[in-house]
């Protein structure tokens, strides 16, 4: 924009300087001739070069026009140069007829054709005819007036040849033609680069005006180069040179330019419509001038006037036919538009600036349930839901304040009162219309309902319809970040249903789903209206209990603990499922309270930790979160991480605990136990390190290592004469694991040369889901390899009489729970005695675990127990201490005489058949 302003100022200053010089006579006659001839030639040459360069660098429909303007300016430059040759170089007057006349005559035709190229092309044949008629109307009128005023005298020069008279008439006639095209095309210029076209038209108009003044006999008689008239030609040339480059369109000014064009169109259209009549008025003025002056009406005037009138009549006839066609087309389009509006399923409404509905399409009866006539005259605000009215008014005001070019439409969604009395969700596209608003509205109630349903489904559990984890987490975040952010009484409860898996396994998933639905209903009914109950997945539920503003933390903890305990009792009540069965489950609940700076994720994690602590503490209980729980979790996580590499780093060691014959005190077997000595020097038992890992692959790897290491060390001891069998504890599920095939045990025994009967597998029956048929087949196969089977942990957990009846067992190991109180409790002595009697009747040898004091040894031996292991004899021993114990061969028994080693054979099943290793 700054560059354009500088060019305009420079152009104005140059033209003003030239005009000043011409007005003052340039100071000398010779300088006046130079500036009047070569100065005009230079200005025209500048225009020619400028138009040519623009045409060469720009492609498009206007390119030929600028080339023609360049040629036209070149002719003007050449004509003025010839004048300068005569007047300045040769120092003589320009002849009446010279080459300059030819150049000046060639100025107008290219300019006329160039204007035609820049004109807006008519699209019909009638349009071309009207363009020609308009040009003739203007040209003929100007010819009539000019002929009456001056040209008639020129045409009657005496003593001049015909060609010279024709040459004298050619100048004004071409100027009249050029003026006619300028005026006719001023109202038909192309919208492309309109500013450049206007500037070019102004430049040519200024040039033609100066030509007309030069043609006048009054001025021509006294004209000399360098006078003030030359300033007009000079300015016209420079203005034409400036036209293609001077005015550029700015991106941010496009809207303003469009607005100006919109405002100027009615005026321009009116002038264009009046052009034929103005031309006819000029023609009439020329004829009246002759009549008033008392002159005889010239035949040229009569002929020209008649043709102008004829052209006007023809043009009006064409316009009449065109108007009839346009009227018919408009009526057709109006009918088409009316049918579209009336047949549209959308409701089209027009509201006045006051908000009163002025038009409503017939679709309103089907969409709104109200007739269009009933709605017309109604205030639009009265039909919009009060809760939505404020937003609608704000959006309408914002839309009306925005620029129509930047925001032609807007969209509004609100609830609209229907004729049935309910509220419809309506979406409207709003446009400006005659100062008011045009609404194109449609009913989107079903879409809104579907979106709401989809949103509900995305945030709620499909089975119980309680909020899911995502919605529950968001509400916890809102509770911690809203006005309750400083309330420490807000608590989260994590709830797990103990025993739910057993219900699923026993009665099926349908019964389990029914139980979950009932539990969700109980939970929902137990919380307050402002609290949130949610199902997190599976049999896990949660509740958000909002604080009541109390600052007494102890009182609040007691209150929430009471709520949680009441909820626990509610969830533990019997459930009647669809199958008719009555089932029971317990509830373990963890509680965590909000604290300053605690995030929603941390609060949920704390409640989860407390819930798992409740399950680990015996289930069916409520546990409040304490900071040490997190420290314990971190410790267990670190321990589990170190455990993943402990085996590879050689941190595991194998210890053995002697199994002693209670009759002789002899070491009859050793029980292999793995110990983990961490890099920090801490010794962990299997119960400790297996509790911190849930990596099944790592547990299986530890089992394989224990088996291979125990067999290898037992074979080494057997090689030096210590043939005490080694017992290894394996779970039933591990025995059935594909990662421990039968052939691997056989190849292990063969590779190390372990004698038959030297390996005892202690079957851990803690998993009740193991199929007994498969387990029985596996144990039979192992016994054929010379492996003896011990049933471990009898008397606790899920060990069943059915397993004892079906499985091929050689040894029964009593659980520590049957041993610890056997001295103090007469009831426990009866139970233990009954178990030992069952084992004796089945022909099984018995081993008591956890025998730590001599009194237990005496009591168990009196009840018929044959073997024992525990601190009463020795704890787990490393390989060196174990071999020393085996060399000693026996341990002293309380109240008995030591029996020499070798009097009793090692433990052997009563039905064992020795199978030599192969």
């Amino acid at each position: 924009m700054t560059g354009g302003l500088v060019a305009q100022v420079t152009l104005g200053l140059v033209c003003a300087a030239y005009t000043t010089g011409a007005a003052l006579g340039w100071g000398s006659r010779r300088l006046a001739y130079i500036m009047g001839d070569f100065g005009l030639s230079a200005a025209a040459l500048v225009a020619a070069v400028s138009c040519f360069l623009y045409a060469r660098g720009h492609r498009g429909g206007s390119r030929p026009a600028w080339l023609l303007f360049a040629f036209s300016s070149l002719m003007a430059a050449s004509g003025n140069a010839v004048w300068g040759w005569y007047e300045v170089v040769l120092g003589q007057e320009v002849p009446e007829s010279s080459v300059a006349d030819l150049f000046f005559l060639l100025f107008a035709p290219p300019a006329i054709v160039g204007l035609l190229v820049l004109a807006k092309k008519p699209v019909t044949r009638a349009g071309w005819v009207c363009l020609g008629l308009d040009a003739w109307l203007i040209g003929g009128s100007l010819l009539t007036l000019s002929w009456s005023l001056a040209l008639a005298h020129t045409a009657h020069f005496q003593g001049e040849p015909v060609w010279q008279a024709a040459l004298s008439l050619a100048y004004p006639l071409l100027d009249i033609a050029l003026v006619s095209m300028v005026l006719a095309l001023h109202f038909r210029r192309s919208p492309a680069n309109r500013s450049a076209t206007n500037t070019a038209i102004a430049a040519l108009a200024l040039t033609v005006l100066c030509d007309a003044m030069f043609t006048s006999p009054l001025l021509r008689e006294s004209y000399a180069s360098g006078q003030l008239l030359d300033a007009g030609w000079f300015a016209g040339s420079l203005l034409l040179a400036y036209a293609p480059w001077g005015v550029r369109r700015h991106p941010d000014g496009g809207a303003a330019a469009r607005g100006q064009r919109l405002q100027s169109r009615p005026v321009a259209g009116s002038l264009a419509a009046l052009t034929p009549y103005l031309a006819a008025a000029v023609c009439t003025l020329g004829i009246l001038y002759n009549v008033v002056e008392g002159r005889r009406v010239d035949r040229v005037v009569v002929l020209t006037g008649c043709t102008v009138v004829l052209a006007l009549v023809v043009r009006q006839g064409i316009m009449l036919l065109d108007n009839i066609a346009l009227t018919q087309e408009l009526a057709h389009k109006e009918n088409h538009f009316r049918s579209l509006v009336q047949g549209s399923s959308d409701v089209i409404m027009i509201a006045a600036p006051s908000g009163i509905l002025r038009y409503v399409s017939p679709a309103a009866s089907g969409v709104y349930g109200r007739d269009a006539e009933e709605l017309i005259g109604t205030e639009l605000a009265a039909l919009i839901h009060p809760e939505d009215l404020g937003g609608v008014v704000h959006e309408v005001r914002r839309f009306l304040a925005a620029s129509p070019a930047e925001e032609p439409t807007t969209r509004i969604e609100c609830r609209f009162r229907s004729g049935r009395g309910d509220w419809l969700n309506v979406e409207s596209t709003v446009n400006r219309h005659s100062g008011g608003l045009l609404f194109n509205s449609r009913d989107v109630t079903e879409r809104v309902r579907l979106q709401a349903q989809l949103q509900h489904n995305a945030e709620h559990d499909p089975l119980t319809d309680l909020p899911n984890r995502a919605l529950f987490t968001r509400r916890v975040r809102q509770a911690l970040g809203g006005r309750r952010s400083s309330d420490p009484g807000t608590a989260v409860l994590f709830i797990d249903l103990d025993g739910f898996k057993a219900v699923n396994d026993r009665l099926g998933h349908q019964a389990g789903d029914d139980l979950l639905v009932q539990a969700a209903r109980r939970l929902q009914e137990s919380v307050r209206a402002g609290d949130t109950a949610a199902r997190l997945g599976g049999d896990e539920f949660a509740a958000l209990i909002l604080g009541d503003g109390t600052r007494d933390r102890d009182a609040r903890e007691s209150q929430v603990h009471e709520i949680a305990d009441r909820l626990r009792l509610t969830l533990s009540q019997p459930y009647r499922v669809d199958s008719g069965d009555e089932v029971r489950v317990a509830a373990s609940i963890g509680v965590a309270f909000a604290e300053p700076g605690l995030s929603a994720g941390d609060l949920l994690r704390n409640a989860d930790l407390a819930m798992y602590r409740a399950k680990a503490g015996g289930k069916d209980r409520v546990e409040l979160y304490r900071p040490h729980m997190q420290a314990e979790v971190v410790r267990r996580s670190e321990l589990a991480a170190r455990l993943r590499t402990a085996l590879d780093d050689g941190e595991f060691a194998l210890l053995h605990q002697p199994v002693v014959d209670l009759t002789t005190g002899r070491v009859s077997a050793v029980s292999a136990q793995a110990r983990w000595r961490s890099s920090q020097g801490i010794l962990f038992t299997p119960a400790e390190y297996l509790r911190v890992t849930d990596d099944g692959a790592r547990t299986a790897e530890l089992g394989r290592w224990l088996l291979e290491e125990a067999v290898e060390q037992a074979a080494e001891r057997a090689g030096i004469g210590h043939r005490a069998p080694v017992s290894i504890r394996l779970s039933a599920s591990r025995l059935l694991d594909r990662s421990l095939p039968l052939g691997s045990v056989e190849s292990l025994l063969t590779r190390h040369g372990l004698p038959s009967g030297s390996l005892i597998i202690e079957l851990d029956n803690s998993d009740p889901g193991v199929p007994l048929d498969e387990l029985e087949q596996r144990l039979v196969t192992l016994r054929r390899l010379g492996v003896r089977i011990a049933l471990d942990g009898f008397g606790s957990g899920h060990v069943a009489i059915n397993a004892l009846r079906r499985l091929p067992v050689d040894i029964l190991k009593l659980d520590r729970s049957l041993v610890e109180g056997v001295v103090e409790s007469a009831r426990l002595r009866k139970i233990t005695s009954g178990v030992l009697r069952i084992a004796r009747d089945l022909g099984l040898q018995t081993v008591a675990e956890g025998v730590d004091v001599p009194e237990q040894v005496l009591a168990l031996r009196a009840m018929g127990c044959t073997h024992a292991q525990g601190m009463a004899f020795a704890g787990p021993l490393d390989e060196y201490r174990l071999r020393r114990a085996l060399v000693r061969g026996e341990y002293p028994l309380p109240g008995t005489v030591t029996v020499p080693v070798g009097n009793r054979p090692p433990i052997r099943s009563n039905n064992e058949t020795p199978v030599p290793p192969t």
Side-chain angles (χ1 to χ4, degrees):
M1 183 173 181
T2 303
L5 182 61
V6 171
Q8 293 174 9
V9 171
T10 303
L11 178 63
L13 291 176
V14 171
C15 293
Y18 190 95
T19 303
T20 303
L24 298 177
W26 298 105
S28 67
R29 187 167 185 80
R30 180 173 180 78
L31 182 58
Y33 281 160
I34 293 174
M35 296 304 297
D37 295 335
F38 290 117
L40 292 182
S41 179
L45 185 61
V46 169
V49 173
S50 175
C51 293
F52 176 76
L53 291 177
Y54 180 82
R56 191 178 68 172
H58 292 77
R59 303 292 179 182
S62 63
R63 184 169 181 262
W66 296 106
L67 288 175
L68 290 169
F69 291 153
F71 181 77
S72 178
S73 299
L74 182 62
M75 293 299 99
S78 301
N80 284 294
V82 172
W83 273 58
W85 174 262
Y86 282 106
E87 291 185 337
V88 177
V89 178
L90 299 180
Q92 62 184 29
E93 293 185 359
V94 182
E96 290 292 334
S97 300
S98 65
V99 181
D101 294 327
L102 177 62
F103 287 133
F104 287 140
L105 286 175
L106 291 177
F107 167 78
I112 294 173
V113 177
L115 289 174
L116 284 173
V117 173
L118 289 179
K120 184 178 180 181
K121 306 299 186 298
V123 296
T124 62
R125 196 174 300 172
W128 282 103
V129 174
C130 287
L131 177 60
L133 292 174
D134 288 344
W136 170 244
L137 284 170
I138 297 173
S141 300
L142 293 177
L143 178 60
T144 302
L145 185 60
S146 302
W147 188 272
S148 301
L149 295 176
L151 295 183
H153 302 286
T154 304
H156 292 86
F157 286 157
Q158 301 293 329
E160 292 185 358
V162 176
W163 66 269
Q164 191 170 359
L167 184 62
S168 299
L169 291 174
Y171 284 112
L173 291 179
L174 287 175
D175 286 339
I176 289 173
L178 187 56
V179 170
S180 301
M181 293 307 302
V182 167
L183 293 177
L185 297 179
H186 174 69
F187 306 109
R188 292 177 176 266
R189 58 190 181 276
S190 174
N193 203 359
R194 186 182 295 268
S195 298
T197 304
N198 289 340
T199 307
I201 290 175
L204 293 175
L206 182 58
T207 303
V208 169
L209 179 62
C210 293
D211 286 347
M213 296 175 67
F214 174 76
T215 306
S216 174
L218 297 177
L219 290 179
R220 190 167 184 176
E221 293 292 337
S222 60
Y223 172 77
S225 296
Q227 291 182 353
L228 193 60
L229 186 60
D230 291 349
W233 282 315
F234 184 84
S237 296
L238 292 186
L239 195 59
L240 184 61
Y242 170 78
W245 307 95
V247 182
R248 300 262 63 87
R249 180 174 298 169
H250 299 280
D252 56 351
R258 284 191 296 270
Q260 293 175 0
R261 289 201 298 270
L262 288 174
Q263 294 175 3
S264 64
R265 280 177 184 172
V267 178
S270 300
L271 291 176
L274 291 175
T275 299
Y277 304 102
L278 293 175
V282 172
C283 181
T284 304
L285 184 61
I287 297 174
L288 290 176
Y289 176 79
N290 285 329
V291 174
V292 171
E293 291 293 324
R295 299 177 183 177
R296 183 174 61 87
V297 179
D298 194 282
R299 285 177 294 179
V300 175
V301 174
V302 174
L303 180 60
T304 305
C306 291
T307 55
V308 168
V309 173
L310 180 61
L312 180 61
V313 172
V314 173
R315 188 185 187 283
Q316 290 302 106
I318 294 175
M319 294 303 297
L320 179 60
L321 295 176
D322 193 32
N323 288 337
I324 293 175
L326 288 176
T327 303
Q328 293 176 349
E329 183 180 358
L330 181 61
H332 175 71
K333 290 183 176 180
E334 183 178 357
N335 292 333
H336 180 66
F337 172 74
R338 187 179 300 276
S339 62
L340 288 177
V341 171
Q342 294 182 350
S344 174
S345 59
D346 293 351
V347 180
I348 299 175
M349 302 183 296
I350 299 176
S354 60
I356 302 299
L357 294 176
R358 297 187 305 185
Y359 173 80
V360 179
S361 65
S365 59
V367 176
Y368 298 150
R370 306 178 70 173
D371 293 336
E373 292 78 7
E374 178 186 350
L375 292 174
I376 295 176
T378 305
E379 187 175 359
L380 185 60
L383 303 174
I384 299 176
H385 195 283
E387 296 179 0
D388 301 338
L389 183 58
V392 173
V393 171
H394 177 270
E395 175 62 20
V396 168
R397 289 177 177 173
R398 186 202 62 79
F399 172 65
L400 293 177
S403 171
E406 297 177 355
E407 191 172 2
T409 64
T410 188
R411 181 167 294 181
I412 294 175
E413 187 168 334
C414 63
R415 284 168 289 180
F416 199 89
R417 186 189 300 276
S418 72
R420 297 175 293 273
D422 57 344
W423 295 98
L424 302 176
N425 292 92
V426 175
E427 182 185 68
S428 302
T429 302
V430 185
N431 295 269
R432 298 172 180 84
H433 177 76
S434 300
L437 295 173
L438 173 65
F439 292 85
N440 189 354
S441 307
R442 62 202 62 88
D443 182 10
V444 294
T445 304
E446 289 302 320
R447 189 193 71 186
V448 172
R449 289 176 181 172
L450 179 59
Q451 289 176 344
Q453 184 62 42
L454 292 176
Q455 182 71 19
H456 180 85
N457 294 342
E459 296 179 339
H460 290 75
D461 174 57
L463 178 63
T464 63
D465 203 39
L466 290 180
N468 58 14
R469 183 182 294 272
L471 180 57
F472 183 75
T473 303
R474 185 161 66 250
R475 291 188 178 177
V476 172
R477 189 178 298 113
Q478 292 172 353
L480 297 182
R483 59 184 178 86
R484 300 178 180 271
S485 57
S486 59
D487 188 352
T490 298
V492 170
L493 280 60
F494 263 45
I495 307 161
D496 184 84
L497 299 182
D498 305 318
F500 173 75
K501 184 178 183 300
V503 175
N504 260 349
D505 295 340
R506 184 166 60 90
L507 300 178
H509 290 280
Q510 182 62 39
D513 290 347
D514 186 33
L515 188 150
L516 291 176
V517 171
Q518 295 184 47
R521 189 181 305 116
R522 294 182 186 182
L523 177 61
Q524 183 69 46
E525 294 172 352
S526 299
V527 298
R528 299 172 304 181
D531 299 334
T532 300
R535 182 190 178 204
L536 305 183
D539 59 343
E540 289 189 356
F541 295 85
L544 171 63
I545 309 298
L546 299 178
D548 55 4
T550 180
R551 294 295 176 179
D552 189 345
R553 184 177 181 86
D554 293 336
R556 181 58 177 165
E557 285 188 1
S558 176
Q559 180 184 4
V560 174
H561 191 284
E562 182 181 350
I563 294 174
D565 197 59
R566 188 166 60 249
L567 180 59
R568 178 187 64 82
L569 294 175
T570 300
L571 294 175
S572 301
Q573 294 299 317
Y575 294 86
R576 178 73 63 178
V577 295
D578 288 341
S579 61
D581 297 307
E582 185 178 272
V583 295
R584 287 179 177 269
V585 293
S588 296
I589 302 178
V591 182
F593 287 90
E595 296 178 2
L598 194 67
S599 66
D602 293 339
L603 181 59
L604 296 177
R605 181 205 61 200
N606 293 347
D608 197 20
L609 290 176
M611 185 265 290
Y612 277 105
R613 172 56 67 91
K615 291 179 70 68
K619 303 180 180 180
D620 193 18
R621 55 184 296 173
V622 176
E623 191 78 33
L624 298 182
Y625 170 79
R626 300 300 180 207
H628 67 81
M629 296 181 183
Q630 177 62 23
E632 182 180 345
V633 169
V634 173
R635 174 181 170 275
R636 292 179 60 181
S637 299
E638 294 175 351
L639 196 63
R642 294 202 301 268
L643 181 61
R644 295 188 183 97
T645 59
L647 188 60
D648 298 331
D649 295 341
E651 296 181 4
F652 273 88
L654 192 63
L655 303 181
H656 295 82
Q657 188 173 28
V659 178
V660 179
D661 190 327
L662 294 183
T663 303
T664 63
R666 181 179 179 276
V667 178
S668 59
V670 292
S671 175
Q673 301 174 13
R675 291 293 187 272
W676 174 31
R677 186 177 298 277
S678 69
S679 57
Q680 288 77 18
I682 304 174
L683 191 65
F684 296 98
T685 65
E688 292 173 330
Y689 63 72
L690 290 179
R691 188 169 58 246
V692 302
T693 180
D694 55 356
D695 189 350
R698 179 59 59 183
T699 304
E701 186 177 355
L702 286 173
R704 287 192 294 270
W705 175 86
L706 174 63
L707 179 62
E708 293 180 2
E709 193 73 11
V711 170
E712 181 180 358
Q713 292 186 16
E716 291 178 0
R717 290 192 298 271
I720 60 176
H722 301 302
R723 296 182 175 273
V726 61
S727 64
I728 303 170
R729 179 177 297 177
L730 293 175
S731 65
S733 59
R734 183 63 57 196
L735 282 175
L736 297 178
D737 192 353
R738 296 179 181 271
S739 64
L740 188 65
L742 298 178
S744 64
V745 178
E746 181 177 0
S747 62
L748 186 64
L749 297 175
T750 303
R751 184 169 68 250
H752 294 288
L754 192 65
S756 177
S758 297
L759 177 62
I760 302 172
I761 292 181
E762 299 179 4
L763 183 63
D764 183 1
N765 257 303
S766 60
D767 188 359
V770 174
L772 292 181
D773 293 338
E774 295 182 19
L775 182 60
E776 181 181 6
Q777 294 177 6
R778 184 67 183 269
L779 294 179
V780 169
T781 305
L782 288 174
R783 293 182 78 249
R784 288 174 182 170
L785 298 175
V787 178
R788 287 183 290 169
I789 307 300
L791 189 61
D792 185 39
F794 193 88
S796 69
H798 300 280
V799 176
I801 298 298
N802 189 37
L804 184 63
R805 178 181 65 84
R806 295 186 55 182
L807 299 180
V809 177
D810 302 306
I811 302 169
L812 188 66
K813 298 195 71 173
L814 272 66
D815 186 71
R816 186 181 296 270
S817 61
L818 295 178
V819 176
E820 287 179 344
V822 71
V823 176
E824 295 84 2
S825 174
R827 185 181 184 86
L828 186 59
R829 283 198 298 272
K830 290 181 180 180
I831 296 174
T832 305
S833 178
V835 171
L836 292 172
R837 186 165 54 254
I838 293 174
R840 187 169 55 252
D841 293 342
L842 294 175
L844 304 178
Q845 293 186 1
T846 54
V847 178
E849 290 185 287
V851 180
D852 297 331
V853 295
E855 291 79 6
Q856 293 173 341
V857 175
L858 294 174
L860 290 170
R861 187 174 58 185
M863 287 185 284
C865 183
T866 59
H867 298 79
Q869 68 182 80
M871 297 303 295
F873 306 106
L877 306 175
D878 58 19
E879 187 66 19
Y880 173 75
R881 290 182 175 83
L882 174 63
R883 292 190 180 186
R884 289 183 58 185
L886 291 177
V887 169
R888 187 171 65 247
E890 61 182 24
Y891 287 93
L893 299 176
T896 61
V897 179
T898 302
V899 179
V901 176
N903 291 353
R904 291 289 301 272
I907 299 177
R908 174 171 292 182
S909 171
N910 63 328
N911 56 357
E912 177 187 349
T913 302
V915 179
T918 57

